[in-house]
Amino acid sequence: MNEIFDILPYFLLMLVRLTSFFLLAPVFSMRGVPTQFKVGIAAFLAFVAVSTLPIGETILLDSSYFLLIIKELATGLALGFTAALVLYTVQIAGAFIDFQMGFSMANVLDPQTGAQVPIIGHFKYMMALLFLLTVNGHHLMLDGVMQSLRVFPVERLAISVEAGDIAQFMTSLFVEMFMIALQIALPIVGALFLVDIALGILAKTVPQLNIFAVGLPLKIFVGFIMLFLTMPVFFYILQILFEKLLVSMAQLISLLGGT
């Protein structure tokens, strides 16, 4: 009985980190995933972790335990946000494409998040999620958050990294993801830009032509053709993105753990 009371504080702290990770992590944070499932799988993983990882000194349920809970909540949210930020790159790229195709005013309601999202961006994001599930990327994310319990133990209150280092890591990650989003959208955006130039020349040479009636359907047609042609490149970049997702989680864990 005493052993149960000794490991219970560890179990609760691990549960906090895992559940907070599921709040923001791709796939797990979707509204279609029942809350009972999220809590259940978090409790199961916490039980596995507390059964396999070495348990240190007994954690006292005093005021410092409340600080440990806050630390675990922040750690889980940071890991989940890092994973989500990498995947939202695809949606940002889709927003660039929507703007050029003329779909920027035609946002759709994402039933998973309840937010208004661009059409092409939502399409690419769903394709990325399906590809993530196909290559078992969700398993790798779970492995990453489980590794964080070993590298950055729940009983450690002090964080051996300055806040500026974490901010710099997040900023550099955001900049890198923004550049990758531009690379994903650049072929389609570039083709549509050439269409705009051609339409501009056509408007000057044939003033009688209603360029708006011709231009919008033409840009949509060219956009869908380019979207189809660049699909293999898109999946290749997705592989790079998923590798970056795992590397970013590992880097954040190393920063927090001071390794």
Side-chain angles (χ1 to χ4, degrees):
M1 184 64 68
N2 291 332
E3 294 181 357
I4 295 178
F5 285 107
D6 289 340
I7 66 174
L8 183 60
Y10 284 89
F11 173 80
L12 295 177
L13 291 174
M14 293 176 182
L15 183 63
V16 170
R17 182 182 297 191
L18 290 167
T19 50
S20 59
F21 172 77
F22 290 154
L23 289 177
L24 295 178
V27 180
F28 301 103
S29 62
M30 299 173 70
R31 286 189 177 183
V33 180
T35 305
Q36 296 86 344
F37 173 79
K38 298 177 186 178
V39 176
I41 192 173
F44 174 75
L45 292 175
F47 176 76
V48 172
V50 81
S51 302
T52 55
L53 295 177
I55 301 299
E57 298 180 357
T58 303
I59 301 178
L60 300 178
L61 299 178
D62 52 9
S63 58
S64 62
Y65 190 75
F66 180 72
L67 297 177
L68 287 174
I69 293 176
I70 296 177
K71 185 262 295 182
E72 290 304 311
L73 180 64
T75 302
L77 291 176
L79 290 172
F81 177 75
T82 301
L85 180 62
V86 174
L87 209 57
Y88 283 146
T89 302
V90 178
Q91 209 163 45
I92 297 173
F96 291 147
I97 298 171
D98 278 323
F99 182 78
Q100 283 297 112
M101 289 180 65
F103 287 165
S104 58
M105 298 294 292
N107 290 347
V108 295
L109 179 66
D110 183 7
Q112 304 300 334
T113 60
Q116 294 285 337
V117 294
I119 296 176
I120 303 299
H122 185 56
F123 168 73
K124 284 184 170 291
Y125 182 72
M126 295 306 295
M127 293 292 290
L129 283 181
L130 290 175
F131 190 72
L132 179 70
L133 294 173
T134 302
V135 299
N136 289 329
H138 55 302
H139 293 170
L140 298 177
M141 285 192 296
L142 290 178
D143 181 67
V145 73
M146 292 294 285
Q147 288 295 326
S148 72
L149 296 173
R150 180 182 59 83
V151 178
F152 187 41
V154 294
E155 68 270 16
R156 185 192 300 178
L157 182 59
I159 300 178
S160 56
V161 63
E162 296 182 359
D165 295 334
I166 298 179
Q168 183 179 3
F169 167 77
M170 288 295 182
T171 303
S172 61
L173 179 63
F174 179 80
V175 171
E176 188 173 355
M177 293 303 101
F178 192 81
M179 293 301 297
I180 294 178
L182 285 177
Q183 293 173 7
I184 294 175
L186 191 59
I188 302 176
V189 172
L192 294 175
F193 178 70
L194 294 178
V195 172
D196 283 333
I197 294 177
L199 290 174
I201 297 174
L202 188 62
K204 287 294 184 180
T205 55
V206 188
Q208 299 83 2
L209 182 64
N210 188 350
I211 202 66
F212 293 102
V214 176
L216 185 59
L218 180 61
K219 290 179 67 175
I220 293 175
F221 176 74
V222 173
F224 278 120
I225 292 296
M226 290 300 300
L227 192 66
F228 175 75
L229 293 177
T230 57
M231 196 60 69
V233 180
F234 172 66
F235 283 109
Y236 173 74
I237 296 178
L238 278 184
Q239 295 180 13
I240 300 175
L241 269 180
F242 293 158
E243 292 176 1
K244 181 62 181 177
L245 185 152
L246 301 175
V247 170
S248 299
M249 288 184 63
Q251 289 176 344
L252 180 60
I253 293 169
S254 299
L255 274 177
L256 295 175
T259 57

